[in-house]
Amino acid sequence: MNTQALAVHDNGPEGVYLRGSGAAREWWRVSLSERAHMFRIEHGHGAAGSGAVDIDTVVDLDNLEAKLLKWRREGFVSVAGREDEARAVAAGSRFAMELERAVELQREARAAEQTAPTEAVRIGGVAMPPAPESTPSALVPRINDAYLFTARADDIALDIVENRRVMLIGHTGSGKTSFIEQVAARTGHGVLRANMNGQTTIGDFVGFWTVKGGETVWVDGVLPVAMREGYWLIIDELDFAEPSILAVLTAVLEPNGRLLLKERGNEIVEPHPSFRLFATANAAGAMSAYRHLYQGANLLNEAFLDRWRVYLFDYLSKEEEAEVLRRTLPALTPSIAQTLAAIAADCRAAFAREDLASTFSTRRLIDWAELMLRTGDVERAAGPAIYAKVSAEDAALIRSIIRHHAIFDAGDGASG
Ligand SMILES: Nc1ncnc2c1ncn2[C@@H]1O[C@H](COP(=O)(O)OP(=O)(O)O)[C@@H](O)[C@H]1O
Ligand SMILES: [Mg+2]
């Protein structure tokens, strides 16, 4: 019997899968079942189709794909031996392979339409358009050479190129604001920030009328300024914003959304092509479980969230954080940096278990390390950087975590 003939479809999983040779030969045969979307699988020894079939059953596609994966791991090889099929099985599913092709097509389409300007700046693998020449340098953030762009940077950079609205959510000090600032710093874009967890009123945000030298004049708020001039606007802690601000934002969130200044006789503000809108939030969306830590944070509703690409900023991994520490403070030795990163990771784990009420930010870690380099004293440095910011119970637990990492002897410096 010609086993090749069993491959019913060119692209289907049907066919014979073999392992071993001679007397040790073992096979699985896959064919279409009479039942729609189901496959018959048979198993036997010896030449396929000749020996006795010891397993004969019908499975659905999900089940079959799991089996194909398992067989491949066990050393079964498709008689058809097609490379694409092998890849599909290895990737776990046909879907993954098709998606790979689609991504490739999309990438080619993008490359064709993008005659990258020579001045384009690369962030990871993404070429980003430069800022308008008129950008005042005072508004361009300073480059922090120690800033580490992790794997997520490419996705967000592409969103910025495509003019998507980007919201970064995550605990305080996880690098949300600095990410946007560092992309802007490298591409030369001006950045304006509006923090919603303070006294930002709708007037500050949109603008207001005032009297100047006997004349009534209009003063643009940060939003129209950024839209007209092509700056990047970061709305920090958006989950604390007043409802009136959220209402104004909603219109602007549309692609190329315009701003209607009602207070100014319905003037329409068109967005400059370089204008970009970002938000950061601590307790929105996937972070809602932590709302108790961020007193007064509002729930952002789903319709509002759906107007954004929302990225969850976890803290850096231990390795990444050690790397950031060394880049920020080159005097730190690799082993100190690793130990400090491990302490931060342990504190975060304790926080996740609810053993600690406060989390441990990258900002806090860097500050502690900086003080440590100044004082040469781990405990003294931890006072203003850590202990004084948390409850006495939390301070005690953090101190024991630090001791556990054996940075200092139990008797040493334990005065606090
Ligand atoms: N990926 C990173 N690379 C280097 N430093 C980082 C990184 N992420 C966070 N930091 C440090 O942590 C500090 C706080 O980050 P920030 O962006 O202000 O946090 P958030 O906005 O999430 O509260 C930054 O100023 C920077 O020193
Ligand atoms: Mg921030």
Side-chain angles (χ1 to χ4, degrees), residues 67-388:
K67 294 234 184 303
L68 288 172
L69 199 60
K70 179 165 170 281
W71 298 342
R72 187 155 300 274
R73 270 197 229 107
E74 292 170 353
F76 285 90
V77 178
S78 163
V79 168
R82 290 196 323 268
E83 192 194 332
D84 60 339
E85 182 192 60
R87 263 171 53 214
V89 175
S93 75
R94 194 170 308 283
F95 186 87
M97 203 174 90
E98 281 185 24
L99 184 58
E100 203 178 292
R101 268 193 218 128
V103 166
E104 196 50 45
L105 281 177
Q106 168 80 358
R107 204 173 279 147
E108 282 164 13
R110 189 186 305 283
E113 88 193 16
Q114 207 183 42
T115 41
T118 44
E119 326 89 289
V121 178
R122 291 199 88 77
I123 297 291
V126 181
M128 307 207 53
E133 281 181 10
S134 56
T135 308
S137 56
L139 290 183
V140 182
R142 239 192 275 143
I143 291 182
N144 170 5
D145 286 316
Y147 198 86
L148 184 70
F149 289 104
T150 55
R152 63 192 165 210
D154 279 22
D155 284 334
I156 305 175
L158 262 182
D159 285 344
I160 299 173
V161 172
E162 289 176 2
N163 202 355
R164 307 277 173 172
R165 308 315 189 197
V166 172
M167 184 187 296
L168 308 181
I169 61 174
H171 285 304
T172 180
S174 56
K176 302 181 295 295
T177 309
S178 52
F179 173 84
I180 301 159
E181 287 180 337
Q182 287 309 307
V183 176
R186 286 159 168 82
T187 52
H189 284 90
V191 173
L192 295 180
R193 282 173 66 173
N195 195 320
M196 297 296 135
N197 192 6
Q199 262 63 55
T200 308
T201 61
I202 184 84
D204 302 328
F205 196 64
V206 170
F208 55 91
W209 289 102
T210 185
V211 179
K212 226 182 203 168
E215 252 183 89
T216 313
V217 292
W218 171 259
V219 180
D220 268 341
V222 279
L223 178 61
V225 169
M227 289 179 74
R228 290 188 215 271
E229 305 298 329
Y231 302 147
W232 290 7
L233 176 60
I234 305 177
I235 306 173
D236 265 321
E237 306 189 55
L238 181 63
D239 39 0
F240 288 86
E242 293 177 17
S244 59
I245 289 182
L246 295 181
V248 165
L249 266 181
T250 300
V252 178
L253 288 173
E254 298 301 324
N256 291 309
R258 302 177 301 175
L259 171 66
L260 182 73
L261 291 176
K262 289 199 202 87
E263 301 81 349
R264 230 196 152 187
N266 286 338
E267 185 196 345
I268 288 171
V269 181
E270 298 275 352
H272 184 291
S274 292
F275 167 68
R276 294 290 184 275
L277 187 59
F278 302 89
T280 72
N282 294 126
M287 291 290 293
S288 308
Y290 299 103
R291 281 180 69 211
H292 59 283
L293 289 179
Y294 301 99
Q295 288 292 318
N298 301 306
L299 265 185
L300 298 173
N301 69 50
E302 281 184 38
F304 184 79
L305 285 176
D306 275 344
R307 293 163 197 269
W308 302 80
R309 289 265 165 88
V310 180
Y311 291 88
L312 181 60
F313 263 48
D314 280 326
Y315 289 118
L316 299 169
S317 71
K318 248 188 269 185
E319 294 71 29
E320 290 166 341
E321 204 156 40
E323 164 86 16
V324 165
L325 276 172
R326 294 207 57 217
R327 289 202 207 181
T328 310
L329 304 166
L332 287 179
T333 67
S335 99
I336 294 181
Q338 277 157 21
T339 304
L340 296 185
I343 290 170
D346 280 1
C347 288
R348 288 168 197 155
F351 169 72
R353 289 192 310 267
E354 301 191 14
D355 288 346
L356 278 178
S358 47
T359 181
F360 204 104
S361 68
T362 300
R363 186 191 284 125
R364 182 174 288 183
L365 183 65
I366 292 173
D367 192 43
W368 180 35
E370 215 172 323
L371 269 177
M372 212 179 289
L373 285 180
R374 187 209 282 170
T375 60
D377 183 331
V378 173
E379 272 287 272
R380 219 176 108 202
I386 307 172
Y387 300 151

